[in-house]
């Protein structure tokens, strides 16, 4: 009996460790991807890049589905997959990539990762997920950290194009939050790999249409560098990370998952400063510390309330 308890405890510990590794991997890749997304604008239009990126990701996902011999998702789930693809891929990356024309990569990642507040609020309304007091404090710390990094851009006068870009990225964050909740509420009998592949397929179709309508005839410079941007963001940041994100959502509650992704803007800021020479001020350092503290508070609460 004691041996079974020890094996069960070890299994739980191993699962927590694996989830922590998955979250760190996803956030690192997504943080670095912001630098590549910004840099890609020197080679092609924002919608063209997104269309190429997610088309590449879609092909990668369907190769995986073929190798693993996973069939089609249930027909009654296709409409839900299409909605998720529209919300999480088409809308999010149309708004983000256009906003990146006017906003730094690091700051853009901060704005998009206001997503946790929208996900958590929507989950509490539509999924009846309660936000415990301690986790609420952790979430508040994380969001305060984001606002500290963002600075006073939203309340002081500045270039209207920059404000418009920031607004688009915030709207993208809201769309992502809606997608997370819709996924939890509507998707049934569909594997994580199928969700990732088919939502990306539908989302890519939307991006292709947008690129054809708005950027037809615009120059596209395909070089070794630009192809690297497309392949890294398509295969790793899209196909791999979106799949892992759905696995994470299925394994832990919405608040903890979304709070953990606040690491992405921290990495986005660091990569932006190192690789793009974007300014890394004291507000970024303080904000990052708040974000990490918020994540620690959330995880501490979970450990304290876990059965011994």
């Amino acid at each position: 009996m004691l041996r079974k308890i020890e094996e069960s405890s070890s299994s739980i510990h191993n699962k927590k460790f694996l989830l922590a590794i998955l979250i760190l991997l996803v956030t690192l890749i997504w943080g670095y991807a912001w630098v590549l997304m910004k840099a890609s604008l020197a080679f092609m239009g924002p919608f063209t890049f997104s269309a190429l990126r997610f088309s590449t990701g879609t092909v990668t996902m369907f190769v995986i589905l073929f190798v693993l011999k996973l069939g089609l998702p249930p027909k009654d789930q296709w409409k839900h997959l299409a909605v998720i693809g529209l919300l999480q891929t088409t809308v999010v990356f149309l708004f983000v990539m256009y906003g990146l024309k006017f906003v730094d990569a690091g700051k853009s990642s901060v704005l998009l990762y206001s997503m946790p507040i929208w996900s958590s609020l929507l989950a509490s309304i539509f999924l009846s997920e309660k936000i415990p007091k301690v986790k609420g404090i952790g979430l508040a710390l994380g969001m305060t950290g984001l606002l500290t990094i963002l600075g006073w851009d939203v309340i002081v006068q500045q270039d209207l194009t920059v404000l418009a870009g920031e607004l688009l990225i915030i709207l993208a964050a809201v769309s992502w939050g809606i997608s997370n909740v819709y996924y939890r509420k509507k998707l049934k009998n569909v594997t994580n790999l199928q969700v990732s592949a088919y939502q990306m397929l539908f989302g890519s179709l939307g991006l292709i249409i947008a690129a054809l309508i708005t950027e037809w005839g615009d120059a596209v410079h395909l070089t070794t560098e630009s192809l690297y941007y497309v392949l890294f963001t398509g295969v790793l940041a899209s196909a791999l990370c979106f799949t892992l994100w759905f696995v994470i959502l299925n394994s832990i509650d919405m608040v903890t998952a979304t709070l953990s992704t606040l690491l992405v803007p921290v990495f986005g800021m660091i990569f932006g400063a190192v690789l793009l020479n974007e300014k890394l001020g004291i507000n970024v350092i303080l904000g990052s510390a708040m974000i990490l503290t918020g994540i620690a508070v959330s995880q501490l609460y979970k450990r304290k309330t876990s059965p011994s």
Side-chain angles (χ1 to χ4, degrees), residues 39-290:
S40 72
L41 298 177
F43 296 90
M44 63 193 76
F47 302 160
T48 299
F49 173 78
S50 293
L52 288 174
R53 168 189 175 176
F54 287 102
S55 295
T56 302
T58 298
V59 171
T60 303
M61 287 305 309
F62 275 88
V63 168
I64 295 172
L65 293 183
F66 177 77
V67 171
L68 296 179
K69 297 181 180 180
L70 294 176
L72 298 173
K75 290 184 178 180
D76 62 340
Q77 298 298 299
W78 281 64
K79 60 183 178 181
H80 300 312
L81 291 166
V83 171
I84 292 174
L86 176 66
L87 291 171
Q88 181 167 312
T89 298
T90 304
V91 173
V92 169
F93 287 93
L94 284 178
F95 287 1
V96 164
M97 288 305 298
Y98 195 78
L100 269 171
K101 294 178 67 175
F102 314 108
V103 186
D104 286 346
K107 186 179 292 184
S108 296
S109 67
V110 170
L111 290 172
L112 184 62
Y113 282 86
S114 65
M115 175 273 291
I117 193 67
W118 310 115
S119 289
S120 299
L121 291 175
L122 290 168
S124 68
I125 296 171
F126 296 104
L127 301 180
S128 299
E129 284 193 4
K130 294 183 179 180
I131 303 178
K133 184 177 180 179
V134 177
K135 281 199 173 185
I137 293 172
L139 184 60
L141 276 170
M143 295 311 302
T144 301
L146 288 177
L147 291 175
T148 301
I149 293 174
L150 181 60
W152 298 99
D153 284 355
V154 295
I155 59 174
V156 299
Q157 187 175 3
Q158 61 168 264
D159 191 322
L160 289 179
T161 58
V162 175
L163 283 172
E166 291 176 350
L167 178 60
L168 283 175
I169 297 169
I170 291 172
L171 290 175
V174 175
S175 182
W176 189 5
I178 294 172
S179 172
N180 287 337
V181 174
Y182 190 91
Y183 165 74
R184 292 283 291 270
K185 190 174 181 66
K186 296 293 186 180
L187 262 290
K188 299 177 182 178
N189 303 317
V190 184
T191 67
N192 294 318
L193 288 175
Q194 287 174 321
V195 172
S196 187
Y198 283 89
Q199 72 84 18
M200 201 176 297
L201 170 64
F202 289 117
S204 296
L205 292 175
L207 291 169
I208 290 170
I209 292 171
L212 289 175
I213 292 174
T214 63
E215 296 175 357
W216 179 261
D218 290 357
V220 177
H221 301 288
L222 293 179
T223 66
T224 302
E225 186 177 355
S226 63
L227 286 174
Y228 166 70
Y229 297 160
V230 170
L231 290 174
F232 185 96
T233 57
V235 176
L236 295 182
S238 300
L240 174 65
C241 286
F242 278 1
T243 299
L244 294 180
W245 173 246
F246 287 123
V247 171
I248 291 167
L249 282 180
N250 272 334
S251 302
I252 56 181
D253 65 274
M254 180 75 76
V255 176
T256 301
T258 52
L259 185 60
S260 298
T261 61
L262 291 177
L263 278 170
V264 176
V266 175
F267 293 135
M269 282 285 189
I270 293 172
F271 285 128
V274 173
L275 300 177
L276 298 179
N277 296 317
E278 295 177 352
K279 186 177 180 181
L280 188 64
I282 186 65
N283 62 315
V284 175
I285 298 173
L286 290 175
S288 298
M290 291 180 188

